[in-house]
Amino acid sequence: MIHIVLAEDQAMVRGALSALLSLESDIEVLGSAADGEAAWRELQRLKPDVLVTDIEMPGLTGLELAQRIQRQELPIKVIIVTTFARPGFLRRALDAGVSGYLLKDAPAEHLAEALRTVHRGGRAIDPQLALEAWSEADPLNDRERQVLRLAGEGQSAGDIATRLNLSHGTVRNYLSEAIGKLGVSNRIEAYRLARQKGWL
Amino acid sequence: MIHIVLAEDQAMVRGALSALLSLESDIEVLGSAADGEAAWRELQRLKPDVLVTDIEMPGLTGLELAQRIQRQELPIKVIIVTTFARPGFLRRALDAGVSGYLLKDAPAEHLAEALRTVHRGGRAIDPQLALEAWSEADPLNDRERQVLRLAGEGQSAGDIATRLNLSHGTVRNYLSEAIGKLGVSNRIEAYRLARQKGWL
DNA sequence: CCCCCTGCATGACGTTTGTCATCTGCAATG
DNA sequence: CATTGCAGATGACAAACGTCATGCAGGGGG
């Protein structure tokens, strides 16, 4: 019997996944949580074999949850189930020691299979995503990332400069750098591309 | 017995919702589809009582699907289940004659209840969202919307002008109008705000 | 010690944006 | 027919944007 805990912020999806997994005779859903902190408490309390978690959640994200489990050396495997086919996310997830990474685009049956594979000690990583993850590295440095994030919210170079204690010229330099590295032609495209790749 | 068809692009969520509803003894899931066109074909073939659909789907959106059902006067009720708490979306959904509008944030049990209410001839609209929907009207006209959409993808005024067969000055005028109406200070903020409100 | 690399700043440049006031053509309305 | 209204165009202006060459301080590492 595989004991699991579910973390997913959308209540309806959480309930539906729970129903889905409860149909499997070898899986038991011990509990579920709507955010990272609550999930952490459930893990301590219920000691499941596997945590199935989304990435985007209020408070603590799924990735941070995985990191915490890894650092505390808890004997709990982690499977990420997310909408985002972003190579950067998978990379970070693997660094955090997760055993599985599925997309919500994948057929529902894959989840139970992945759960069994992981419980057996194996890994279940979305194959096509795994390829992309190792192909393209994030070309941005910290400053470029920060600046791009703010630019994507509609802030001007001047605003960003104030926020980061830089000169407005420097901000424009970083932005220009980022635009160049990403091979696009303005800050908006740069933001969209970086976001889509999971480089944020 | 309530017969339904499910339209939702994320396979895992689709499967999970199907599992959830199948647990109810008075509900039967006749079929499901991953995009609007497929859903339309399933509706013709299976003649369900109710369609449960997401909004964001490739091809035909859930809103367009509802419109089509309304225009053809099919005896099929529609329940929208979506992530987006955007007043504009609810407004358009109601115009398209849908009977239910739930958020994925709502508890899973609400779905089955809503299904029964709607099947009985009632309406099931997320209450807090219903309030917002009548509070604020979309101030944008068609041109402004089009222009803003493209601007949000990073296109320059010139690009947009070419795409829409307008002069580049005119495009800037519309953009300026939109920025003014929304009370923001540049195209990026305008795009973000309009998107968040569901005005796209 | 010197060299080079990195992080940030500066200034100049041409382009794009955002704002206005004004103008044109066309259709609807009286 | 004249009048009004609307969609789109124009041109001018200041501000912000994107690019580039250059400068400068502070560390390492040779």
Side-chain angles (χ1 to χ4, degrees):
Chain A
M1 189 63 115
I2 309 176
H3 295 116
I4 75 167
V5 160
L6 212 54
E8 154 71 54
D9 63 329
Q10 295 192 319
M12 194 161 300
V13 176
R14 186 170 66 248
L17 285 174
S18 179
L20 178 74
L21 292 173
S22 299
L23 293 180
E24 306 290 330
S25 55
D26 57 341
I27 294 175
E28 185 178 357
V29 180
L30 299 182
S32 64
D35 64 83
E37 292 296 353
W40 181 245
R41 285 193 301 273
E42 290 298 77
L43 292 179
Q44 316 252 313
R45 192 168 68 85
L46 302 168
K47 315 258 181 216
D49 302 313
V50 187
L51 165 69
V52 174
T53 180
D54 193 1
I55 289 186
E56 274 207 332
M57 287 185 298
L60 211 62
T61 71
L63 292 176
E64 291 163 338
L65 206 47
Q67 273 170 18
R68 202 182 275 192
I69 290 171
Q70 184 182 40
R71 267 205 290 275
Q72 309 261 328
E73 298 183 359
L74 297 184
I76 302 176
K77 309 274 188 179
V78 177
I79 295 182
I80 303 270
V81 177
T82 181
T83 310
F84 308 111
R86 295 182 189 157
F89 278 16
L90 173 54
R91 213 61 88 111
R92 272 185 265 163
L94 291 175
D95 287 346
V98 315
S99 305
Y101 193 106
L102 307 190
L103 296 180
K104 285 183 182 168
D105 285 330
E109 308 83 54
H110 282 27
L111 180 53
E113 285 173 35
L115 226 25
R116 292 189 191 102
T117 304
V118 166
H119 188 242
R120 253 189 264 116
R123 290 183 170 277
I125 310 293
D126 183 282
Q128 96 191 57
L129 199 53
L131 278 180
E132 289 181 52
W134 294 120
S135 61
E136 215 174 346
D138 179 352
L140 303 175
N141 61 37
D142 286 343
R143 280 308 200 188
E144 289 157 5
R145 239 190 306 280
Q146 286 177 52
V147 163
L148 205 46
R149 238 193 300 261
L150 296 174
E153 290 170 13
Q155 312 230 12
S156 70
D159 297 340
I160 299 173
T162 309
R163 193 79 79 90
L164 300 181
N165 285 111
L166 291 175
S167 89
H168 106 120
T170 301
V171 170
R172 283 160 61 206
N173 287 151
Y174 286 137
L175 238 10
S176 182
E177 267 294 298
I179 291 168
K181 284 181 178 177
L182 299 178
V184 294
S185 57
N186 59 50
R187 57 180 66 192
I188 306 179
E189 288 180 354
Y191 175 77
R192 291 168 63 91
L193 179 57
R195 216 180 140 61
Q196 178 209 318
K197 293 282 190 182
W199 299 330
L200 226 145
Chain B
M1 188 63 116
I2 310 175
H3 294 117
I4 75 167
V5 160
L6 212 55
E8 153 70 54
D9 63 328
Q10 296 191 320
M12 194 160 299
V13 177
R14 186 170 67 249
L17 285 174
S18 180
L20 178 73
L21 293 172
S22 299
L23 292 180
E24 306 290 329
S25 55
D26 57 340
I27 294 174
E28 185 178 357
V29 180
L30 299 181
S32 64
D35 65 83
E37 291 296 353
W40 181 244
R41 286 193 302 274
E42 290 298 78
L43 291 179
Q44 315 253 314
R45 193 166 68 85
L46 302 168
K47 314 258 184 215
D49 303 312
V50 188
L51 166 68
V52 174
T53 180
D54 193 1
I55 289 185
E56 274 207 333
M57 287 185 298
L60 211 61
T61 71
L63 292 175
E64 289 163 339
L65 206 47
Q67 272 170 18
R68 202 182 277 191
I69 289 171
Q70 183 182 40
R71 267 204 291 275
Q72 309 261 329
E73 297 181 2
L74 297 183
I76 302 177
K77 309 275 190 179
V78 177
I79 295 182
I80 304 270
V81 177
T82 181
T83 309
F84 307 112
R86 296 182 189 156
F89 278 16
L90 173 55
R91 204 73 86 101
R92 271 186 265 162
L94 291 175
D95 288 344
V98 314
S99 305
Y101 193 105
L102 305 191
L103 297 181
K104 286 184 182 168
D105 285 330
E109 308 83 52
H110 282 25
L111 181 53
E113 285 172 34
L115 226 25
R116 292 188 192 104
T117 304
V118 166
H119 187 240
R120 253 187 264 120
R123 291 182 168 277
I125 310 293
D126 183 283
Q128 95 189 59
L129 199 53
L131 279 181
E132 289 182 53
W134 294 120
S135 61
E136 214 175 347
D138 179 352
L140 304 175
N141 63 35
D142 286 344
R143 280 310 202 188
E144 289 157 4
R145 239 189 307 281
Q146 285 177 52
V147 163
L148 205 47
R149 240 193 299 263
L150 296 174
E153 290 171 11
Q155 312 230 12
S156 71
D159 295 342
I160 299 172
T162 309
R163 191 80 79 89
L164 300 181
N165 285 111
L166 291 175
S167 89
H168 105 121
T170 301
V171 169
R172 283 160 59 207
N173 287 149
Y174 286 137
L175 235 12
S176 182
E177 267 294 298
I179 290 167
K181 283 180 178 177
L182 298 178
V184 294
S185 57
N186 59 51
R187 56 180 66 194
I188 305 180
E189 287 179 355
Y191 176 76
R192 290 169 64 91
L193 178 57
R195 214 177 143 63
Q196 178 209 317
K197 292 282 189 180
W199 300 329
L200 227 152

